[in-house]
Amino acid sequence: MAPEPDLAGVQREFERTLLGGERKFTRVQVSERAGISTERAERMWHALGFATVPDDEVAFTDDDVEALRLVAALEDDGFIEPEMESSLARKLGQTQSRLASWQSAMFLEFLGGSKLSPEESIEVAGLLLPAMERLQTYVWRRHLAAAAGRAVAGSDELARGVRAVGFADIVSYTRLTRRLTEAELGELIERFEGTAADVVALNGGRVIKSIGDEVLFVTDTAAQGAAVALALQDAVSADPDLPELRIGLAYGTILIRLGDVYGEVVNLAARLTTECKPGRVLADRELAAALDGHPAYTIHRLRRVAVRGYRHLVPYAIQRADGPPA
C-alpha cells in the first residue's frame, strides 16, 4: 500500500517556490532588517492588500526585506513622495492581486486536467514562475516605453492632461447574468474585454480598466476617441456572440493618477453612456466641438437631458460621415 503523501510538506514546498524562499522573520524583524519603522512597514503591508500579521508569527522572507528596502530607497532618493507611498503600494497591490487571481485560477485549471502528482505540480510551478516574470517585465517595459514616447512627443494639451475619455457598456448586462451560466458569463466577459482591448489599441487608445460589463478607455485626441468608439460598435455588431453596447465620450482635462483617471470629463462620459441608445455613440459638447469640420465624422445635436449631477446636459450623436442617419 502506497504511503499517504505529506500534504503539509507539499504545501510548504509549494509556498517556498512561490515566495522565493523560507519564511524567516516576524514583522518586527523584517522592519528592523529593512531599516524602517514597524508602523511604516505595516502601513505598506496593508496598502498592498495583505491582512495584519501577529507580532510573533514568522511570516516574512528575505524578499520581503529587500522590497521594503527598495521602497525606502526610492523615497530617500526623492523618486517617491512620502505622501504617495501608500497610494503607490495600493495601486501595485490591486493590479498584482487581480493578475495573481487570474494566473492561479489558470494554473489550477491546468492541474485539474492533468495527472500530475503534488511533487510534479511544484516542479511545473517552479518552471512557470520565471517565464511569467520575464513576460510581465517585458510587457511592463514596452508599455513604459510607449508612455514615455507619448510624453516626449506630446502637445501642450496632452501635457495639461487633455484627453478623450470613453465608457463602453454592455446593454442589459443584469438580465444576461441571470440567464447565463457562470461559464457562459465568463466567456462573454473574456470575449468583450478581448475585443475592446484589440480595438482600443488598434485605434491609438489605452484601456484604463474593465469592470465586468464596462470598459473605460482614453485617447490623446478627440478624433481617436471617435475612431475607437465607432470601431468598437462595428466589431461588436459583427460578432453574434456579443450583446450591443452603449458608448459615451467626453473631452477635456482629466487627472491622471497612478494609472487611473478622474475628473468631470470622466463623469460626463459615464453619464452619456447611460443616456445612449444601444449601438450608438454619444459625445459631450467639447468633443463635438473638437470634431467640428472633421471630414470623417458627422455630428448631430440632440435634445438636452437631465442626469445625475447635470440638469442640462447636451448630448451629440457621433457617426461616420458615410454612415446611415443617426
Side-chain angles (χ1 to χ4, degrees):
M1 184 175 179
E4 290 292 325
D6 179 11
L7 295 181
V10 170
Q11 182 177 356
R12 285 194 299 271
E13 181 61 22
F14 191 64
E15 181 183 78
R16 190 195 66 78
T17 299
L18 294 176
L19 294 180
E22 299 285 350
R23 296 178 186 261
K24 300 179 180 179
F25 311 117
T26 66
R27 70 187 190 94
V28 173
Q29 291 170 333
V30 79
S31 302
E32 290 174 347
R33 281 163 173 75
I36 66 174
S37 68
T38 55
E39 292 79 8
R40 183 180 177 188
E42 185 79 358
R43 188 167 60 249
M44 288 178 56
W45 187 249
H46 288 165
L48 287 170
F50 301 120
T52 299
V53 176
D55 289 349
D56 59 349
E57 182 176 334
V58 178
F60 301 98
T61 69
D62 289 322
D63 283 353
D64 292 309
V65 175
E66 185 59 29
L68 289 176
R69 285 175 178 164
L70 179 59
V71 173
L74 289 172
E75 183 176 317
D76 292 342
D77 291 342
F79 185 75
I80 300 176
E81 296 295 332
E83 60 271 16
M84 289 293 292
E85 183 179 272
S86 292
S87 295
L88 176 63
R90 186 163 53 251
K91 283 294 183 182
L92 281 173
Q94 291 169 356
T95 301
Q96 296 301 320
S97 173
R98 184 178 182 186
L99 182 61
S101 295
W102 168 71
Q103 290 171 336
S104 63
M106 182 177 65
F107 184 63
L108 289 174
E109 184 178 350
F110 163 75
L111 292 181
S114 71
K115 299 185 181 300
L116 297 177
S117 68
E119 292 77 9
E120 290 171 330
S121 299
I122 293 172
E123 185 177 350
V124 170
L127 294 172
L128 281 175
L129 277 174
M132 293 302 296
E133 286 177 342
R134 288 197 299 272
L135 180 59
Q136 288 168 201
T137 299
Y138 159 75
V139 175
W140 169 69
R141 284 181 175 273
R142 292 297 300 184
H143 276 295
L144 193 62
R150 290 193 299 269
V152 170
S155 64
D156 290 340
E157 280 192 330
L158 295 183
R160 298 198 310 272
V162 176
R163 303 288 195 284
V165 177
F167 275 96
D169 178 63
I170 293 177
V171 175
S172 302
Y173 179 74
T174 302
R175 190 187 312 154
L176 285 171
T177 60
R178 293 196 294 263
R179 181 168 58 85
L180 299 177
T181 65
E182 287 187 6
E184 290 171 337
L185 183 60
E187 290 175 5
L188 171 67
I189 295 302
E190 178 65 24
R191 198 176 189 92
F192 167 55
E193 291 184 351
T195 299
D198 289 345
V199 170
V200 171
L202 284 171
N203 288 277
R206 298 176 299 287
V207 172
I208 298 299
K209 57 186 173 184
S210 55
I211 312 169
D213 62 328
E214 195 170 65
V215 166
L216 169 62
F217 63 88
V218 299
T219 64
D220 293 339
T221 68
Q224 287 176 328
V228 167
L230 294 170
L232 188 52
Q233 290 290 21
D234 288 345
V236 167
S237 65
D239 189 336
D241 294 325
L242 286 175
E244 291 184 296
L245 298 182
R246 293 183 294 253
I247 301 180
L249 294 170
Y251 185 65
T253 303
I254 60 176
L255 171 63
I256 304 173
R257 185 173 183 271
L258 295 175
D260 212 337
V261 293
Y262 305 89
E264 185 179 17
V265 173
V266 182
N267 295 336
L268 278 170
R271 301 295 183 271
L272 286 165
T273 304
T274 64
E275 293 298 314
C276 190
K277 292 181 180 180
R280 300 294 180 85
V281 176
L282 289 185
D284 74 330
R285 189 195 310 271
E286 295 301 321
L287 192 136
L291 289 182
D292 188 28
H294 196 293
Y297 306 107
T298 59
I299 306 160
H300 300 278
R301 187 181 189 275
L302 305 180
R303 290 188 305 173
R304 65 179 59 187
V305 295
V307 297
R308 182 163 56 92
Y310 302 93
R311 294 183 57 190
H312 304 290
L313 178 61
V314 179
Y316 293 79
I318 304 296
Q319 62 185 121
R320 290 189 179 86
D322 56 355

